Structures are given as C-alpha cells and as structure tokens.
C-alpha cells in the first residue's frame, strides 16, 4: 500500500484487514482499537477511539448469575453473546481514512480479499494457541470449531486456510463502507448470532450497532526529561499509566544504571505499583464517570507519589493517591487478557500511525460471524459494580466503553518533532512493556531492536513478575531480599517500534511473536 502511494492510515487499514484473517485470535473487525495519528505537515497529533460499547439495555448487573444474584466468574462470562460490545475498529478506521487517507477505501481491502479467497498459511503460533485450548468456546461453539478443527483435528502450521465468508464480508465493506457492517446485512448477522448464542445470549441490538460512533479525542501527554510522551486518554488507562510510571521515575535518573539492572528493575516495579493503584481506582470511560486525568499526570502529584519509592525496599501493595479532581471510589480488579495486535507505521511524508487493536481474550467471545470473530471486551468492565458501599468507576453502564490498557504511544523531541512510534499487545501488562522500552531508548540509549529484546518485567501492584528463560532470573534472590514477591513466567509482549533519528528510520520488532521490520 505504501508503494502505491498510500498514507500511513491507508497501510494501517490494509494491515488490520489482513490480521482479521491471519491473526484471528488477537484482533479484527469484530473488535476495537485505539489509534494515534501524526500529521507531519500540520504538526498535529490526533487520536481515534474505536473502543467497543455496552448495549443500551445493559446495566451494572449484566454479568450477574440470575440464580445466585452474584457476579459470574470471569471465565464463565467470556464465551457467548453477553460479553460482546459493539465493534469499533471499522468505524474508527473509516473516520481516520476520511481525514488522512489517500488511496480509495476499496483498494485497501484487495490484499485481504485475495488472501481470504485463495487461503493463507497457518502460523506456528496460531496452531500453538489452538492446542492450548484456553478459550472453552472454540470447541463448544459449532462455527468456530468447524473452521479451526475441520474433520475434528486442529489446523496445523503450514496448512492453507481459506475463508470465503470473510472475503464476501470484506467485498461488501470495500464497496459500501462501514455502513453495511453497522446497518446492513452484516449487522443483522452479528445481532442474530449474539441474541441466539448457545452460551450467554447477549443484549446488543441493531439500534446499538447503528448508533455506534468512533470518537476523535485529545491525546494525553506528559514530559519525561526533555521529551513529550503522548498516548490515549480515557477510556484507555494506557497513556495515563505510562506517563505516571515515567514521571515518577524521572528524579531517579535511570541512565545511571545498566539496562535491566537490579536497581532499575526495583525502581520500575515500584513506580508501576503506584500507577496501577491509581489506574484501578480512578480510570474508566470519562463520558460516564469523572476521571481526574490532569490530576493523575500533574508533575507535583507525581513527585509526591515518587517520594513513596524506597531505593532498596519493596513498598508492598500501593494505595491509590488523591490527585486533584478525584472523587471517592473503590478499586477495580477487572481482568484483561493478552490477545491483541499492535502496528507502527510511518509513510514517506512523515505521517505516522500507532495502533493497538484487540478482540480481548484469545479468540474473543468465540462467536464467529461470517468468517470473523466477535470480541468479549465487555468483560473488561468490573463484573461487580460496587465494593464496601462505594461504586467502581469501571462498572457496566448502558452504552459505556470498558476501560482498556492498550497504550499506542508516540514520543516527541524538545522541538516537537516525532521521535518514537511504539506499542504492544499484552493485556494490562502493555503499560509495563511500553514504559520499559521508552526507558530503554531514552535513558539507556538502546536502539529499537535492542529495546524490544529486553527481558520483560511487570508489576501490576501485586507481584513482581520477571520473564522466564531470561537474564532477569538471576535477580530473583536479590529482589526477594528487598521484599519483593517474585514470579517467573513467560511474558508474551509484541512490541513494534520505530525511531526517527538524525540518520533516518530505525525499527525493532518483538522476537516473542510474529512481526517484521519492513522499509521501502
């Protein structure tokens, strides 16, 4: 698409359509996205919110067991129609294309249509994820089971998988735009599937689809050293939390420590504890609840929070702070799964896109409609609306968007020029993956590939998790001496990074997932 003269947005649309086909476990037109766009000629950053919305018929007890009157277990709420929110990917991409696209909309669907009709090569990762059987709906719901388990056996790496139904869907959207998805024959198929789901029939209506609007929102930005770090504001917590982590660490001058040294990992984990404490209490869809965004990223507030960090002792579970504008609320512990895609793109004119896109859990709700999988994003809400007499900000409400940790990010130089385009999949750990790479590049002077290669460390205000089979395992005993509870496990990030420097463009892609650095 770029070779044809397409813009960064054009290329992003083509990539998302292909990913709907070849990476169906992670993202697609049945899901939602957050997109940052840098208009280089106008020197302007825009963000597009394609997050899913709850049904207009939903209330705070959407995920209650009608027999017991108590919230369902997360795994029991995922599969079927109740967890599906109105997909926002197509609406947001079309909205962005109207402003920043160059090539005709229909042209951008041609590669995906061809691949769907002729078949694509099944990846080793797709085979592996099917074999893990972590989404119970894959084997229990007929359409998705037939597609991935023809003749009762899973598709294998190297197999050719054809999806003619999806080719037809793409053909209609290419010709008629997103309207056919939200108001036409595809919308009817979506609602029919949700309402008559074998498990957990849902409440979404044709009117909910027809009423959906992608939203262009102001970016949230904060200073780190001489740089300006920008990301998505609410309903994402990603941009706010990344800025908080960095802002709280600024006074510690991480450039004095070696990359991923004991001291750096400790400080990073403590700052992350503080950010997640605030995130879990305050961040939700600000169209429905008051979120103290300015207070959360205020430099004075971040300095006060940073004072809680000790150089050689884990603080234990951090308590949410009291930023300016905060209202009394209680903490939320909604679960976010790691099945997501990220794309970073820059075109010849310097226009750039950072987009994180997801159907939430691996294979989403497991409801397959005309060759694509519907999301289960509504389980990103708190399944319980209150605790100890206080409301949870991220509770279910009609037409509300669930909180997300997706953190597409751009970093700008002191003169306002673009320096970094990055993001990652990884559920709520996305916040850590992105913040760690910004530190890697800005503080430790790593190139994007070396930064992507860094062993992962996360702390979501519970335990300090370090990546298995990495050099961080040698730090486990020392961290435990500092009071950390340490867990060693796979941390499956999927970073895609572009750096713009004095000599040109440098890319880095995460070795833990599929991904390539490509340039014209």
């Amino acid at each position: 698409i770029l070779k044809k003269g397409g813009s960064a947005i054009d290329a992003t649309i083509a990539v998302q359509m292909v990913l709907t086909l070849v990476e169906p476990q992670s993202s697609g037109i049945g899901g939602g996205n957050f997109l940052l766009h840098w208009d280089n000629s106008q020197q302007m950053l825009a963000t597009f919110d394609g997050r899913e919305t709850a049904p207009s018929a939903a209330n705070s007890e959407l995920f209650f067991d009608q027999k017991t009157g108590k919230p369902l277990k997360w795994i029991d709420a995922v599969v079927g129609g109740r967890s599906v929110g109105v997909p926002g990917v197509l609406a947001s991409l079309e909205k962005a294309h109207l402003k920043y696209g160059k090539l005709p909309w229909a042209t951008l669907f041609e590669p995906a249509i061809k691949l769907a009709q002729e078949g694509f090569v099944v990846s080793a990762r797709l085979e592996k994820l099917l074999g893990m059987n972590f989404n119970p709906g894959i084997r229990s719901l007929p359409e998705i089971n037939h597609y991935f388990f023809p003749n009762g056996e899973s598709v294998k790496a190297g197999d050719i998988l054809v999806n003619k139904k999806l080719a037809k869907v793409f053909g209609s959207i290419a010709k008629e735009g997103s309207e056919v998805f939200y108001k036409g024959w595809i919308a009817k198929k979506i609602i029919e599937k949700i309402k008559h789901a074998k498990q957990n029939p849902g409440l979404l209506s044709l009117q909910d689809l027809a009423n959906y609007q992608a939203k262009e929102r102001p970016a949230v930005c904060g200073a780190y050293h001489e740089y300006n770090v920008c990301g998505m504001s609410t309903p994402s917590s990603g941009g706010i939390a990344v800025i908080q982590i960095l802002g709280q660490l600024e006074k510690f001058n991480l450039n004095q420590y070696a990359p991923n040294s004991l001291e750096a990992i400790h400080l990073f984990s403590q700052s992350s504890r503080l950010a997640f404490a605030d995130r879990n209490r305050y961040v939700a869809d600000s169209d429905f609840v008051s979120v103290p965004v300015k207070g959360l990223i205020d430099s004075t507030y971040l300095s006060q929070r940073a004072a809680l960090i000790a150089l050689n002792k884990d603080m234990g579970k951090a308590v949410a702070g009291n930023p300016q504008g905060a209202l009394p609320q209680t903490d939320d512990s909604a679960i976010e799964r790691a099945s997501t895609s990220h794309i970073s793109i820059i075109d010849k004119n310097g226009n750039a896109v950072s987009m994180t896109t997801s159907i939430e859990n691996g294979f989403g709700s497991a409801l397959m409609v005309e060759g694509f999988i519907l999301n289960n994003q509504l389980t990103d809400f708190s399944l319980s609306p209150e605790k100890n007499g206080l409301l949870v900000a991220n509770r279910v409400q009609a037409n509300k968007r669930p909180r997300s940790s997706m953190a597409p990010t751009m970093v700008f130089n002191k003169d306002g020029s673009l320096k970094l385009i990055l993001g990652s999949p990884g559920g709520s750990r996305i916040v850590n993956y992105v913040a760690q790479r910004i530190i890697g590049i800005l503080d430790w002077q790593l190139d994007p590939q070396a930064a992507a290669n860094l062993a992962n460390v996360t702390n979501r205000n519970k335990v300090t998790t370090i990546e298995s089979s990495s050099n961080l395992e040698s730090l486990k005993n020392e961290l435990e001496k500092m009071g950390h509870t340490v867990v060693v496990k796979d941390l499956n990030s999927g970073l895609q990074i572009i750096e713009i420097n004095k000599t040109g463009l440098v890319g880095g892609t995460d070795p833990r997932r599929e991904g390539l650095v490509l340039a014209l």
Side-chain angles (χ1 to χ4, degrees):
I1 297 298
L2 293 176
K3 284 180 178 178
K4 288 181 178 180
S7 67
I9 279 291
D10 293 333
T12 301
I13 294 166
V15 167
Q16 178 66 91
M17 297 314 128
V18 170
L19 287 177
T20 303
L21 176 70
V22 307
E23 197 175 75
Q25 72 275 9
S26 295
S27 71
I29 61 172
N33 69 338
F34 290 126
L35 186 154
L36 271 60
H37 180 271
W38 173 245
D39 183 332
N40 197 42
S41 63
Q42 298 295 317
Q43 295 285 287
M44 188 173 74
L45 179 65
T47 82
F48 294 86
D49 169 3
R51 186 67 163 159
E52 296 86 343
T53 56
S56 55
N59 60 33
S60 60
E61 297 183 358
L62 178 67
F63 293 109
F64 275 40
D65 186 320
Q66 299 307 308
K67 293 180 180 178
T68 66
K70 295 180 180 180
L72 291 166
K73 292 180 181 178
W74 184 86
I75 193 64
D76 295 330
V78 167
V79 176
R82 206 185 310 187
S83 66
V84 181
V86 179
V89 162
L90 278 171
S92 71
L93 290 176
E94 188 175 60
K95 191 177 184 75
H97 182 259
L98 286 170
K99 292 188 76 168
Y100 302 113
K102 286 188 174 181
L103 297 181
W105 173 258
T107 301
L108 310 177
F109 288 76
E110 291 171 359
I113 291 171
K114 187 172 187 288
L115 271 174
Q117 287 175 335
E118 298 177 3
F120 70 95
V121 179
V122 174
S123 70
R125 184 162 182 267
L126 178 53
E127 179 192 351
K128 177 185 175 182
L129 291 173
L130 287 168
M132 291 170 68
N133 201 31
F134 55 79
N135 187 325
I138 299 175
R139 299 311 302 265
S140 63
L141 300 182
E143 188 168 350
I144 193 169
N145 183 58
H146 178 73
Y147 180 68
F148 289 117
F149 293 85
N151 305 315
E153 291 190 13
S154 169
V155 294
K156 305 295 182 186
D159 287 352
I160 304 298
L161 196 54
V162 174
N163 194 333
K164 293 189 180 296
K165 286 186 176 181
L166 185 57
K168 181 184 176 184
V169 165
F170 282 155
S172 286
I173 298 169
K175 183 179 179 181
E176 302 177 56
S178 72
E179 186 165 343
V180 71
F181 184 89
Y182 290 101
K183 298 178 181 179
W185 72 269
I186 303 171
K188 291 175 183 175
K189 292 283 189 181
I190 291 171
I191 297 305
E192 181 182 341
K193 180 71 72 170
I194 290 170
K195 285 189 175 295
H196 299 101
K198 180 181 174 183
Q199 292 174 241
N200 297 325
L203 302 179
L204 275 183
S205 68
L206 284 169
Q207 198 62 46
D208 291 326
L209 286 177
N211 289 342
Y212 183 83
Q213 296 289 323
K215 298 190 177 186
E216 191 171 347
R217 300 183 186 272
V220 59
C221 298
Y224 185 58
H225 303 315
E226 70 267 32
Y227 301 98
N228 196 27
V229 179
C230 295
M232 288 296 309
S233 190
T234 60
S236 177
S237 64
I240 295 167
V242 167
I243 290 167
Q244 283 194 303
I245 290 172
L246 296 173
Q248 289 159 176
L249 288 173
E250 187 156 19
K251 74 167 192 172
F252 293 99
N253 296 319
L254 294 183
N255 60 4
Q256 68 180 300
Y257 303 114
N260 273 4
S261 61
L262 175 66
E263 297 87 351
I265 293 303
H266 167 70
L267 292 170
F268 182 80
S269 72
Q270 302 306 285
S271 188
S272 184
R273 276 193 181 279
L274 294 167
F276 270 87
D278 280 351
R279 165 196 180 272
N280 292 344
R281 179 165 298 182
Y282 297 120
V283 182
D285 184 349
S286 55
D287 291 342
F288 287 78
V289 296
S290 177
V291 182
V293 176
K294 289 183 180 179
L296 287 166
I297 61 172
D298 177 76
S299 59
T300 301
Y301 174 72
L302 294 180
S303 294
Q304 293 169 351
R305 297 289 276 169
L308 300 173
I309 298 175
L311 287 174
N312 55 11
K313 188 175 188 244
D314 179 64
M315 69 174 65
K317 189 173 179 65
V319 177
N322 188 28
Q324 187 173 356
L327 298 176
Q329 287 166 148
T330 191
D331 297 342
D332 171 26
S333 56
I335 295 172
E336 291 179 49
R337 294 294 179 173
S339 292
T340 298
S341 307
H342 182 82
I343 304 108
S344 296
I345 296 177
I346 188 166
D347 64 29
K348 65 182 180 181
N349 295 314
N351 304 306
V353 167
S354 178
M355 181 179 80
T356 313
T357 173
S358 181
I359 58 170
E360 216 279 342
N361 188 37
F363 305 97
S365 66
L367 288 183
M368 201 166 195
V369 181
E370 300 300 305
F372 63 91
I373 299 172
L374 293 174
N375 69 84
N376 67 291
Q377 295 285 12
L378 299 188
T379 53
D380 276 359
F381 283 118
S382 172
L383 304 192
S384 179
E386 61 179 64
K387 182 180 176 184
N388 300 325
L390 289 172
L391 289 172
V392 175
N394 187 40
R395 65 191 179 276
V396 182
Q397 292 175 266
N399 303 310
K400 188 177 180 181
R401 301 176 188 221
R403 186 189 64 206
S404 169
S405 293
M406 294 189 290
T409 303
M410 292 188 183
V411 179
F412 296 87
N413 293 305
K414 191 175 182 180
D415 64 1
S417 60
L418 182 60
K419 179 172 180 62
L420 291 177
I421 310 157
L422 76 160
S424 178
S428 55
R429 298 183 198 272
I430 288 172
V431 170
N432 286 154
Y433 297 152
V434 172
Q436 188 183 8
R437 272 49 189 209
I438 294 173
I439 291 165
I441 294 170
L442 301 187
D443 287 293
W444 299 330
Q445 301 299 301
L446 300 176
D447 65 58
Q449 190 57 61
N453 292 346
L454 276 173
N456 285 317
V457 58
T458 70
N459 191 311
R460 297 173 293 178
N461 202 21
K462 293 178 181 178
V463 299
T464 298
T465 306
I466 55 178
E467 188 170 4
S468 58
S469 303
S470 76
N471 56 1
L472 290 185
E473 288 194 58
S474 64
L475 301 180
K476 183 174 184 291
N477 289 340
E478 291 301 313
L479 286 167
E480 288 174 341
K481 288 177 184 177
M482 299 166 85
H484 291 256
T485 299
V486 179
V487 172
V488 179
K489 65 175 290 182
D490 288 343
L491 291 174
N492 196 20
S493 54
L495 292 134
Q496 313 295 339
I497 309 169
I498 300 172
E499 181 181 12
I500 301 98
N501 61 29
K502 293 176 182 178
T503 59
L505 304 175
V506 184
T509 191
D510 203 312
R512 300 164 187 83
R513 298 198 188 197
E514 300 102 338
L516 290 171
V517 178
L518 296 173
L520 301 182

